[in-house]
Amino acid sequence: MRPTVHDIAERAGVSLATVDRVLNDRPGVRAVTRAKVEAAIAALGYVRDVAAANLAKGRVYPLVFIVPAGENPFMRGLEAEIRHAGRHSAAERTRLSVVTVPAFDAAALAAAIDAAAASDDTAGIAAVAVDAPEVAAAIARAREAGIPVVTLVSDLAASGRDHFVGVDNVAAGRTAGSLMGRFLGGRPGPVAVLAGSMRVRDHRDRLEGFLAAMAAMPVARQVLPVLEGQDDPAVSRRLIAGLLAATPDLAGIYSLGAGNGGLVAALSGRSDICVIAHELTADTRAALETGVIDAVLNQDAGHEVRSAARVLRAKADGLPVVAAQERIRIDIFIRENLPPAAEEDERSGAGLYQGD
Amino acid sequence: MRPTVHDIAERAGVSLATVDRVLNDRPGVRAVTRAKVEAAIAALGYVRDVAAANLAKGRVYPLVFIVPAGENPFMRGLEAEIRHAGRHSAAERTRLSVVTVPAFDAAALAAAIDAAAASDDTAGIAAVAVDAPEVAAAIARAREAGIPVVTLVSDLAASGRDHFVGVDNVAAGRTAGSLMGRFLGGRPGPVAVLAGSMRVRDHRDRLEGFLAAMAAMPVARQVLPVLEGQDDPAVSRRLIAGLLAATPDLAGIYSLGAGNGGLVAALSGRSDICVIAHELTADTRAALETGVIDAVLNQDAGHEVRSAARVLRAKADGLPVVAAQERIRIDIFIRENLPPAAEEDERSGAGLYQGD
DNA sequence: AACTTTCTGATTTACGTACATCAAAAAATC
DNA sequence: GATTTTTTGATGTACGTAAATCAGAAAGTT
């Protein structure tokens, strides 16, 4: 059986109260006594029963997630994951809530952060950041009020946030470029890039990585000027249609933002162009299956949500974060390793695999 | 605040004991009363505090993991993950232990299963199966004794095991074939397959998927007869060296088993051949970085261990398993999305990402 | 009506930890 | 040596649930 505080007390020859003082480092213990207790802890290999401890503490961690509103399927999947995690977060004594704000609206986001920070029972904030000074200021205010803040999916390093939960977008772009280059092989023709907006940090990062990888390929290849679809399916569709008309020898398209529904519609079944997109959603999944999209790079929203919750709790408790453990992986999906669509049990997400 | 059993009792107008009887469905409750209590549970949205319940139950689940001994880096990584999970499994009231048996030794594996089942405090067994009747018989015996059994990594469906924790190896082979075909494009030359042994189920499955995917490619390509390296680096090295000498126009190699150290050594820095291998280990990681290996398909040992533990606990409690949630994903790694090597904190694995 | 059987209530103990209180002992200070 | 300060012990309550006991009420059976 696992040793308990009682065992430590007995072994160290002290009382339970003293053990408690050492464990939760409360004052009033002599150095020698503390050493004795710590020796006993080490000797017995004692580990605190977190479940019992949390039960006794009765503490809960109300965490607020702020995500952009709108039709962006990835964001809706993210929201679904938050709600899903919220329903199963009882054991971790964590309470998750979701706030949506208009996409790309820095003022609204800043206001939402301020509101969350103003609430007396907010233990932490996770926000999909918009790259703007007022957002950075709001995050700084929250942190000054003692509330930990993490950025989610899209970073804002200048804000002084406690942590960023998301993928390395430069690496993601490099991965896309490498795959594009290998898939195309010696085939001639230029490559196009469809982004949401160059004002968004993660899109800029992905482009940078993609260009670097393309440049490093043995075969030089022309990359056309970036198209900005505003993450909007209708705009994207128009842009891609124009591109196809103007560039008959187009070899590939890298879609580094959202709005892939429009991209797929514009391609209307053409599988001769090598297409690489981001985020596994209903649109991209279907296009992978039909061969219109060749590869999808994905960040697992479920992992991100759980990582954000873990980090915020650790910060709230003043505990260190194991960075290596919180790294979000860049998943590559092709048709053959596509996970089966989930049976839509209780979440409305894109049907991603949910690990643990 | 979350509702507790007391709230339910009050709301339903019954005593705490009755609520307890309903919750843990013990006998001695009239149908009408039960309905009242269940209505109160639904109305208040009560969810059992698992931490408190486990604390009260005091029950622990001693689970035995049986894995092959030897130098196979994936298996050693698996073992490291089990030990790692064991150190952090306190919260789940689970106790993990590892037993190693000689690789491919059916008799030894069967004996280990019998021994684990004979122990009075074994709540479940997870075993990397060898495809042999005596193993199937041992698993059947354990299950008759009321001990749940899951197969890990390599399945043995005929044994009647409760569950299989591992990837879809046919799909893995198809993925490899598809990537190989796309990476090679129009480049001519035959492709070789290096397996461990055709007597092992997962290797047969991978080969099947690979051949199917290659056959489905637009460009027909010759696949040379399978080489069997016994998962042994020295044997593999010899076989590959011979292959290279005999086949100057070789275009690609699919290594579907272990022993990749020998493969890499035989290739000695050649990056003109397209190589796809399985499992991210120190060997394959290094080869990915130098360009000798082009892609690695991976099954996350950490996920598998945690999934196995969850499934065994559920089975031990007679609870249903959410199959969709326990599916193990096939990860694709190329140089650009390689996760950074872990800082070897306390595990000796291959430095894989550890999610949650 | 007396009886058995089945249900329900009230109460208690336990799980392992956190946290508070008060008294007692030990150490340090004057 | 008397006093203050610091350290330690003893004890109790709480968290939310599980599980057991025993008494009492309700239902069903003769």
Side-chain angles (χ1 to χ4, degrees):
Chain A
M1 273 292 93
R2 278 175 58 187
T4 74
V5 278
H6 297 85
D7 301 322
I8 299 176
E10 194 179 349
R11 167 108 185 195
V14 302
S15 83
L16 228 133
T18 303
V19 174
D20 181 68
R21 288 180 187 116
V22 172
L23 278 176
N24 300 289
D25 50 22
R26 278 185 258 278
V29 183
R30 254 190 313 169
V32 268
T33 315
R34 164 163 279 128
K36 269 199 300 185
V37 174
E38 274 162 357
I41 290 174
L44 295 176
Y46 168 82
V47 273
R48 188 195 301 261
D49 184 329
V50 219
N54 284 336
L55 181 58
K57 277 202 267 237
R59 172 166 187 189
V60 287
Y61 301 80
L63 306 181
V64 180
F65 282 72
I66 308 176
V67 300
E71 288 182 28
N72 185 329
F74 175 74
M75 292 303 170
R76 298 287 66 76
L78 186 69
E79 184 178 349
E81 287 292 348
I82 298 166
R83 299 193 186 283
H84 181 260
R87 279 195 292 281
H88 296 324
S89 64
E92 289 88 23
R93 309 208 90 73
T94 278
R95 195 175 60 215
L96 310 185
S97 56
V98 188
V99 173
T100 57
V101 294
F104 302 110
D105 186 335
L109 176 55
I113 293 170
D114 283 333
S119 167
D120 55 341
D121 66 358
T122 295
I125 300 174
V128 178
V130 173
D131 198 338
E134 46 204 311
V135 175
I139 291 178
R141 278 194 295 277
R143 296 203 60 244
E144 268 165 38
I147 298 177
V149 179
V150 302
T151 47
L152 192 62
V153 179
S154 185
D155 196 12
L156 214 184
S159 65
R161 81 287 183 276
D162 290 272
H163 187 80
F164 166 58
V165 177
V167 299
D168 177 341
N169 282 300
V170 178
R174 273 202 307 272
T175 304
S178 173
L179 282 177
M180 178 73 79
R182 297 196 206 206
F183 282 179
L184 289 177
R187 181 181 157 190
V191 166
V193 176
L194 173 66
S197 160
M198 278 302 102
R199 296 196 321 268
V200 189
R201 176 64 189 262
D202 36 340
H203 289 198
R204 284 206 306 274
D205 284 348
R206 287 175 185 175
L207 178 65
E208 175 193 330
F210 182 76
L211 293 177
M214 291 302 284
M217 279 287 146
V219 187
R221 186 176 302 275
Q222 185 195 359
V223 178
L224 301 173
V226 175
L227 304 172
E228 296 189 49
Q230 307 301 328
D231 282 1
D232 182 306
V235 178
S236 299
R237 179 172 190 167
R238 194 152 20 84
L239 288 172
I240 296 298
L243 171 74
L244 292 174
T247 320
D249 64 333
L250 187 73
I253 300 175
Y254 173 40
S255 170
L256 54 75
N260 287 314
L263 165 70
V264 172
L267 286 167
S268 65
R270 281 186 64 173
S271 55
D272 58 319
I273 295 176
C274 178
V275 179
I276 297 181
H278 274 267
E279 317 315 350
L280 192 60
T281 65
D283 286 332
T284 55
R285 165 185 285 278
L288 261 182
E289 279 167 351
T290 61
V292 171
I293 291 183
D294 294 87
V296 167
L297 304 189
N298 186 66
Q299 48 185 324
D300 193 305
H303 285 174
E304 293 181 324
V305 168
R306 292 186 284 276
S307 176
R310 267 198 307 275
V311 170
L312 285 176
R313 274 202 44 178
K315 294 290 182 185
D317 283 341
L319 298 173
V321 172
V322 184
Q325 197 174 335
E326 303 300 343
R327 204 161 272 130
I328 305 297
R329 201 153 69 179
I330 302 164
D331 299 319
I332 302 175
F333 289 111
I334 62 176
R335 196 193 330 192
E336 284 75 15
N337 77 329
L338 211 45
E343 289 85 88
E344 298 297 327
D345 36 336
E346 42 177 359
R347 70 174 82 180
S348 59
L352 297 182
Y353 165 85
Q354 181 216 2
D356 33 307
Chain B
M1 273 291 95
R2 279 176 56 186
T4 74
V5 279
H6 297 86
D7 301 321
I8 299 176
E10 194 178 349
R11 167 109 185 191
V14 301
S15 82
L16 228 134
T18 304
V19 174
D20 182 68
R21 288 181 187 113
V22 172
L23 279 175
N24 300 288
D25 52 18
R26 276 184 260 278
V29 183
R30 256 188 310 167
V32 269
T33 315
R34 164 163 279 128
K36 270 199 300 186
V37 174
E38 275 162 356
I41 290 174
L44 295 176
Y46 169 82
V47 274
R48 191 199 235 97
D49 183 328
V50 223
N54 284 336
L55 179 60
K57 277 203 266 240
R59 176 170 183 184
V60 288
Y61 301 80
L63 306 180
V64 179
F65 282 71
I66 308 176
V67 300
E71 288 183 30
N72 185 329
F74 175 74
M75 292 302 170
R76 298 286 67 73
L78 186 69
E79 183 177 348
E81 287 291 347
I82 298 167
R83 299 193 186 283
H84 181 260
R87 278 195 293 280
H88 296 322
S89 65
E92 290 88 24
R93 309 210 89 72
T94 278
R95 195 176 60 216
L96 310 184
S97 56
V98 189
V99 173
T100 57
V101 295
F104 302 110
D105 186 334
L109 175 55
I113 293 172
D114 284 333
S119 166
D120 55 342
D121 68 357
T122 295
I125 301 173
V128 178
V130 173
D131 198 339
E134 46 205 310
V135 175
I139 291 178
R141 277 194 295 278
R143 296 203 60 245
E144 269 166 38
I147 298 177
V149 179
V150 301
T151 48
L152 192 63
V153 179
S154 184
D155 196 11
L156 214 185
S159 65
R161 80 287 183 276
D162 290 89
H163 187 81
F164 166 56
V165 178
V167 299
D168 177 342
N169 283 300
V170 178
R174 274 202 306 273
T175 304
S178 173
L179 282 177
M180 178 73 78
R182 298 195 205 205
F183 282 0
L184 288 178
R187 179 180 159 190
V191 166
V193 176
L194 173 66
S197 160
M198 278 301 103
R199 296 196 322 268
V200 189
R201 177 63 189 263
D202 37 338
H203 288 198
R204 285 207 306 275
D205 285 348
R206 288 176 186 175
L207 177 64
E208 177 194 329
F210 182 75
L211 294 176
M214 289 303 283
M217 279 288 145
V219 186
R221 186 177 301 276
Q222 185 195 0
V223 179
L224 301 173
V226 176
L227 304 171
E228 298 188 49
Q230 309 301 328
D231 283 0
D232 181 306
V235 178
S236 300
R237 178 171 190 168
R238 195 153 17 84
L239 288 171
I240 295 298
L243 170 74
L244 292 174
T247 321
D249 63 335
L250 187 72
I253 301 175
Y254 173 38
S255 169
L256 53 75
N260 286 314
L263 165 70
V264 172
L267 286 167
S268 64
R270 281 186 63 172
S271 55
D272 57 320
I273 295 176
C274 177
V275 179
I276 296 182
H278 275 267
E279 318 313 353
L280 192 60
T281 64
D283 286 333
T284 56
R285 164 185 287 277
L288 261 183
E289 279 168 351
T290 60
V292 171
I293 291 183
D294 295 87
V296 167
L297 304 189
N298 186 66
Q299 49 185 323
D300 191 305
H303 284 174
E304 293 181 323
V305 168
R306 290 186 286 274
S307 177
R310 268 198 308 274
V311 170
L312 286 175
R313 275 202 44 181
K315 293 289 181 185
D317 283 340
L319 298 175
V321 172
V322 185
Q325 196 175 336
E326 302 300 344
R327 204 161 273 130
I328 306 298
R329 201 151 71 176
I330 302 163
D331 299 320
I332 302 175
F333 289 110
I334 62 177
R335 193 193 333 191
E336 284 76 15
N337 75 330
L338 211 45
E343 288 85 89
E344 297 296 329
D345 37 336
E346 42 176 359
R347 68 173 84 180
S348 60
L352 298 182
Y353 165 87
Q354 181 217 2
D356 33 311

